[in-house]
Amino acid sequence: MIGLGKMGGNMATRLLQNGHTVWVYDLSAAAVAQAEAAGAQALAELAAIKQALSAPRVVWLMIPAGAPVEATLEALASVLEPGDIVVDGGNSNYKDTLRRAEQLQAQGLHLVDAGTSGGVWGLTEGYCLMVGAPSADVFQAVEPALATLAPPSGYAHVGPTGAGHYVKMVHNGIEYGLMQAYAEGFEILKEKREFDLDLAQIAEVWRYGSVIRSWLLDLTAQMLAENPALDGIKGWVADSGEGRWTVQEAIDLDVPAPVITLALLQRLASRQDDAFAAKLLAGLRNQFGGHAVKPE
């Protein structure tokens, strides 16, 4: 396991708890020490992986998409041997995955992309794993780890290399839309002042029998029960990039995806405390209709 972080560390722990031998490497000494305390064995340097693991080796990456993956794969390619397998469990762009797979294949190495969902709850609940692999044999070589990390029926070989990250990309786009719908709905409830609605109570009752029940609703109910006014949380919403990629893919395929697209745009809007566009709109209303503007 290379690149621990919170999710990678939890994945390593889940593997260890189920009898797997796990070697770990991370730039953070503290992350490595934590994994060692859980029973993992540490690599002093990346090159040591060749001696630590017997062929065919399976190396699992849990690191940020982009340059970190690129640099790590380049380093591994100089160490690993033909027949070895690298699993990218992060949120890489599927187009990058296709390119990297071709480059590694030229050296006899196999790239498996495992779209991973589950967040910090994966340690106890298991991870949903959407896996792209170049062949059934390569998939079967990593399947014991997949079966351990996932809950029952929680993993699948969804297609060739690249397919796993593609499916996870669309999964995250759907997630954007679901989260936005919950957010808007609860704000509408909150603004109906005369009813003095208890949002935590409503979220809780919706969890049972309702057609909109889900794990995201479970988390919403828990959050509102603990912090009804959401004190201390700034309304600034980040995006990991996969929502953007999903929207771009929809455009490329001529597939209308208004809900996912607007959910992404709402995240961008959340980062503007006083948007210039909003000022311009207010000014225009004043220009053509004499509508009042609020001073800064």
Side-chain angles (χ1 to χ4, degrees), residues 1-16 22-26 31-32 34-36 38 40 60-64 89-90 116 118-123 127 149:
M1 180 76 69
I2 297 173
L4 296 171
K6 184 65 174 176
M7 182 180 286
N10 284 349
M11 293 176 79
T13 299
R14 189 172 175 92
L15 289 168
L16 289 163
V22 180
W23 289 82
V24 297
Y25 177 82
D26 194 282
V32 172
Q34 186 174 7
E36 284 187 289
W60 193 301
L61 309 184
M62 288 303 295
I63 54 181
T116 305
V120 297
W121 294 86
L123 177 59
Y127 299 90
L149 291 169

Side-chain angles (χ1 to χ4, degrees), residues 111-275:
L111 181 61
V112 171
D113 50 309
T116 305
S117 182
V120 297
W121 294 86
L123 177 59
T124 54
E125 302 293 328
Y127 299 90
C128 177
L129 298 166
M130 300 143 266
V131 184
S135 68
D137 289 343
V138 172
F139 174 78
Q140 289 165 7
V142 301
E143 191 168 12
L146 302 174
T148 297
L149 291 169
S153 303
Y155 72 93
H157 183 189
V158 298
T161 303
H165 282 152
Y166 188 85
V167 173
K168 177 55 165 45
M169 175 189 75
V170 177
H171 163 284
N172 279 27
I174 294 170
E175 180 184 300
Y176 277 44
L178 292 172
M179 292 174 67
Q180 185 65 31
Y182 281 127
E184 292 175 8
F186 277 97
E187 182 163 18
I188 294 169
L189 293 172
K190 179 178 179 296
E191 290 305 309
K192 194 64 174 175
R193 309 286 186 182
E194 61 265 39
F195 286 162
D196 191 25
L197 298 171
D198 184 335
L199 301 190
Q201 178 196 50
I202 293 167
E204 184 66 22
V205 75
W206 279 352
R207 294 177 60 215
Y208 302 95
S210 163
V211 297
I212 63 168
R213 63 189 183 274
S214 72
W215 184 52
L216 287 174
L217 182 60
D218 294 344
L219 296 177
T220 300
Q222 177 178 312
M223 178 172 58
L224 290 172
E226 295 172 352
N227 186 1
L230 303 183
D231 294 327
I233 300 175
K234 182 176 175 62
W236 191 103
V237 189
D239 70 284
S240 64
E242 294 204 318
R244 299 179 186 222
W245 302 340
T246 303
V247 170
Q248 185 59 59
E249 191 70 17
I251 293 170
D252 291 344
L253 295 173
D254 292 330
V255 174
V259 172
I260 294 173
T261 301
L262 288 174
L264 170 64
L265 295 180
Q266 282 298 107
R267 293 195 180 197
L268 302 184
S270 76
R271 302 169 201 174
Q272 296 182 306
D273 290 332
D274 196 7

Side-chain angles (χ1 to χ4, degrees), residues 271-293:
R271 302 169 201 174
Q272 296 182 306
D273 290 332
D274 196 7
F276 179 79
K279 292 184 179 184
L280 192 143
L281 287 172
L284 279 176
R285 292 184 75 250
N286 176 260
Q287 289 291 319
F288 70 71
H291 302 288
V293 296

Side-chain angles (χ1 to χ4, degrees), residues 63-120:
I63 54 181
V69 175
E70 205 77 42
T72 304
L73 287 177
E74 183 178 346
L76 286 172
S78 66
V79 174
L80 298 177
E81 298 176 328
D84 289 345
I85 301 168
V86 181
V87 181
D88 182 0
N91 285 331
S92 291
N93 188 304
Y94 82 95
K95 295 178 182 178
D96 289 334
T97 301
L98 291 172
R99 172 179 53 80
R100 292 163 181 161
E102 186 175 353
Q103 293 171 342
L104 292 175
Q105 188 61 49
Q107 299 177 248
L109 303 174
H110 306 296
L111 181 61
V112 171
D113 50 309
T116 305
S117 182
V120 297

